[in-house]
Every structure is written in structure tokens, then in C-alpha cells.
Amino acid sequence: MQANGAWTAEVFITLKPSVLDPQGHTVQQALRDLGYRDLASARLGKYFVLAFPGRLSRAEVERQVRRMCEQLLVNPVIERYRLAVNRERVRP
Amino acid sequence: MTFGVVVFPGSNCDHDCHHLVSRVLRQPVRYLWHGESRPPRVDCMILPGGFSYGDYLRTGAIARLSPVMAAVRRHAARGGAVIGICNGFQILLEAGLLPGAMLRNRSLRFVCRYVFLRTESRRTPFTRALPPGRVLHVPVAHGEGNYVCDAATLRRLRREGCVVFRYAAADGRVGDDVNPNGSVDNIAGICSARGNVLGMMPHPERCAEPALGSTDGRELFHSLLRTAARRRA
């Protein structure tokens, strides 16, 4: 990992807790079958890594990413999201 | 009545829809490429099934940003007829032209078979000429047909007669056991408050000729044509 001035925004998207997640449930069952009997639940989500030039301010990067989420990346009817903005380049 | 079949990259039921209109209904029809922001005006717009943009990100999520969607919105706002079939329905949901969202089938399986639908509402021109409760035999083919919406939206849809089709048995009995995807309230299709925009997961264009095993699909379009004719008279 090297600090190079550029921004990296990570967006974590998951289905809302009220929405049924059959994929998560299936993964949970498979993990329990592997022996992980303590696992209470598993839910699947999406992860985006968005890169921005370093000349922008942190506030501007966050603003743009939230707008991207509202306009395209997230379906607010069934999904919710959180984001993390960092200065270092993150290797996915 | 003139028809337009919108074609997105990845649409694959556009030809079947075109065939239904031109050969079975014998009405003028043209393809409307997704990139045209000002396509020629038509009386009815069809958003066909398929895998627009590969279903990337979310099914229908990227297609709703295509330039042609501005024309679809204008057409719907004017009261023009719009029918979204399968992926077309998903696109209408993502575009906000219909409420709710689509999830993966509860079984996680792609379901490809005939189902029965009970016609629950005659609010749309596609069902106005059908007798109430008419049962239709129509095929589905989808992996993400699990329609969901919040409780308030469901109440409103039911109250305003916007639930158009529910999955049923051959005798018209609606039930969870005959729902292929787990959709809320066994909903297979809904319409906008005005009734001019219809979205449905099953494929009426695949059952419009005797050779295909069912002609129930063309009844929706006969109803549309009869309703339009009545309005113009």
C-alpha cells in the first residue's frame, strides 16, 4: 500500500435487513454444513472501489460518491450502503 | 395503432414482440433503438424481455439511463400505453415508472415454464376488455422475478386496482404454491395509478399463436386495440 495522494472510496452495499436474502441464507447453510455451527447469519453484498484524483477535497469525493449511489449504484427500495474514503491506494 | 419495440443492448425478446405486432396483430410497428433520445412517436411502447446490459449491477439499472427512456417517460406522462415485459418490467421499476423493486427468485433457480395468471384488474387498456378474473396461460422465464414493495405501497396498489396479474392455478386459485418466484402477494404484474403503464414478468409475446401452445398472450393486445378504438370513436 502506498500513499500517493489519490482518493479511494469504498462503497459497501447490502440488502436492507427487511429484505429476504436467499443467497446469504444458502451460503449460511453451506458454511454450517462445513462445520461452522456457531454462524448465526450470513448476508451477501456488493463492494465497489472508486478512484478519484488527489486534487479533490475529501468532502467533494464523498459528495460525488453519495450522488453516484443515489443515481445508480444503490437501489434505495431494497438496498442500503455505507462508504469509506481513504487517501491511500487500496489493493482489492 | 402504432407500436414501438424498444431495443437495448442485450434485449432478446424484441424480435418476438415485433413479430407479435406485425404478423399476429397486423399493426404498424418499428424498433426504437435505446440510443435515440427523440424517437418517432408511437401509440404503444413495448419494453421487451432479455438481459439488457447483461443485468450488470442490477437488472434494468443501467438500461433506465438510456436516452430513449426520456421518450418513454414523456409518452407515459401523456397517458400513452407502455408495456414492460420481464426485463422491460425490471427497467420500468428501476426507472421509477412503476413502484417497487425486483429480487432474485426465492428458490435461486431460473424458472422457465408455463404458469397461470388471474387477471385482477381492468384498470389498464391491456386488460379492460377481459372478463374479470380471466385466467391466462402464459410462460415465464426469469431468474429475478421476485417482486417486492413496502407495506404502504402494497396497500396502495391493492386499493387502486393496480395489481393486474397474480400467479394462480388453472382454476384461478391464487396461492403461494403456484408462485414461481416468491413475489409479494403473488404479484405477476402491476400498473401505474393511471393504468397506462403495465409491467409483467410473464411473456405474452411467447403465447400469441396456436402453434406455440397458447394464444392467451394476444388477448392483452386485442384488449389494447379494442380500448384504443373505443376511445377514438
Side-chain angles (χ1 to χ4, degrees):
Chain A
M1 301 228 266
Q2 52 197 95
N4 58 3
W7 294 106
T8 296
E10 299 175 285
V11 185
F12 305 86
I13 301 170
T14 51
L15 290 174
K16 287 180 172 173
S18 55
V19 178
L20 184 76
D21 179 11
Q23 285 189 96
H25 183 78
T26 301
V27 168
Q28 176 190 332
Q29 278 301 116
L31 287 171
R32 285 181 61 87
D33 287 346
L34 279 174
Y36 297 102
R37 297 298 157 97
D38 293 325
L39 180 65
S41 84
R43 285 177 80 78
L44 243 70
K46 285 181 207 157
Y47 169 68
F48 286 92
V49 180
L50 308 169
F52 292 83
R55 60 181 163 75
L56 299 181
S57 69
R58 172 184 285 273
E60 177 60 19
V61 171
E62 282 197 22
R63 200 178 63 82
Q64 288 196 23
V65 174
R66 285 192 192 284
R67 287 230 316 270
M68 290 176 186
C69 289
E70 282 155 29
Q71 287 183 293
L72 179 63
L73 300 180
V74 178
N75 183 334
V77 178
I78 48 172
E79 293 171 328
R80 62 179 188 184
Y81 72 99
R82 66 174 178 86
L83 54 100
V85 178
N86 302 295
R87 205 40 122 156
E88 296 91 357
R89 185 184 298 277
V90 172
R91 256 186 263 284
Chain B
M1 214 173 162
T2 58
F3 289 77
V5 178
V6 182
V7 183
F8 299 93
S11 295
N12 66 14
C13 301
D14 45 328
H15 286 249
D16 285 352
C17 289
H18 191 284
H19 172 89
L20 161 69
V21 178
S22 65
R23 296 286 160 77
V24 179
L25 304 176
R26 300 190 182 282
Q27 301 292 311
V29 58
R30 61 196 305 158
Y31 291 108
L32 303 177
W33 180 236
H34 82 108
E36 292 183 55
S37 53
R38 295 212 159 260
R41 279 218 200 177
V42 295
D43 297 319
C44 174
M45 285 184 153
I46 301 175
L47 274 64
F51 297 89
S52 59
Y53 293 93
D55 278 359
Y56 295 159
L57 183 61
R58 296 181 307 277
T59 169
I62 300 176
R64 71 171 160 126
L65 300 176
S66 285
V68 76
M69 287 306 293
V72 176
R73 283 179 204 282
R74 280 195 303 272
H75 178 77
R78 280 194 299 260
V82 178
I83 176 170
I85 300 167
C86 203
N87 190 221
F89 182 13
Q90 292 159 343
I91 295 169
L92 290 174
L93 291 171
E94 283 282 342
L97 284 166
L98 288 172
M102 208 59 88
L103 294 176
R104 206 151 156 199
N105 292 348
R106 191 173 287 224
S107 65
L108 298 179
R109 292 201 180 95
F110 187 97
V111 179
C112 186
R113 59 177 169 80
Y114 263 85
V115 297
F116 291 98
L117 304 178
R118 190 171 77 193
T119 308
E120 306 281 49
S121 167
R122 297 159 77 208
R123 179 173 281 278
T124 92
F126 299 93
T127 52
R128 199 155 299 141
L130 299 181
R134 171 92 162 86
V135 177
L136 302 167
H137 201 205
V138 188
V140 297
H142 58 249
E144 298 190 51
N146 184 354
Y147 175 75
V148 293
C149 62
D150 61 31
T153 301
L154 182 60
R155 273 195 306 272
R156 182 176 63 73
L157 289 174
R158 294 171 69 145
R159 196 175 58 236
E160 295 178 358
C162 292
V163 176
V164 181
F165 300 112
R166 283 197 176 89
Y167 297 107
D171 61 359
R173 174 190 61 87
V174 171
D176 294 351
D177 56 319
V178 290
N179 182 333
N181 52 48
S183 64
V184 70
D185 207 17
N186 300 309
I187 288 172
I190 61 171
C191 68
S192 56
R194 270 165 90 181
N196 58 311
V197 180
L198 168 66
M200 58 190 295
M201 282 313 294
H203 288 266
E205 82 285 7
R206 293 188 185 178
C207 54
E209 292 165 278
L212 296 176
S214 168
T215 55
D216 288 355
R218 72 181 181 206
E219 312 245 346
L220 301 183
F221 293 89
H222 285 163
S223 170
L224 173 70
L225 291 168
R226 296 238 298 274
T227 308
R230 236 184 275 134
R231 224 187 327 177
R232 262 193 241 113

